[in-house]
């Protein structure tokens, strides 16, 4: 979810991304728009979806990317 924030800052231009996913519990479609300012808007689906954000201990991270630590 940090991709538009990082890409927008690197390119020095405002960007927005649309994520299309679904609830793992009931299968309902969820569409979320996120922009360079880390603002998000729920375009489709529940108004208060639960979002999973894994914690990564950067002091102990030895993997080449945080993706590998997930
Ligand atoms: Zn659901």
């Amino acid at each position: 979810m940090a991709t538009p924030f990082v890409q927008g800052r690197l390119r020095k231009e405002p960007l927005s991304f649309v994520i299309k996913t679904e609830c793992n519990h009931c299968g309902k479609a969820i569409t979320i728009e996120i922009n360079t300012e880390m603002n998000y808007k729920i375009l489709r689906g529940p108004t208060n979806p639960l979002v999973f954000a894994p914690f990564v201990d950067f002091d102990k991270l030895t993997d080449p990317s945080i993706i590998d630590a997930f």
Side-chain angles (χ1 to χ4, degrees):
M1 292 175 68
T3 298
F5 175 77
V6 174
Q7 287 292 323
R9 294 300 166 115
L10 289 174
R11 297 174 186 214
K12 297 183 178 175
E13 61 182 280
L15 295 176
S16 67
F17 283 60
V18 173
I19 299 169
K20 294 182 178 180
T21 186
E22 66 182 33
C23 175
N24 195 42
H25 179 254
C26 66
K28 287 184 181 174
I30 301 171
T31 305
I32 305 170
E33 182 183 69
I34 304 171
N35 68 19
T36 305
E37 303 304 317
M38 292 287 281
N39 296 317
Y40 70 93
K41 189 184 332 177
I42 308 292
L43 302 177
R44 182 179 184 193
T47 54
N48 288 319
L50 285 176
V51 177
F52 170 73
F55 290 100
V56 176
D57 185 345
F58 290 103
D59 289 336
K60 296 178 181 172
L61 181 66
T62 56
D63 298 299
S65 151
I66 62 171
I67 300 297
D68 297 311
F70 291 165

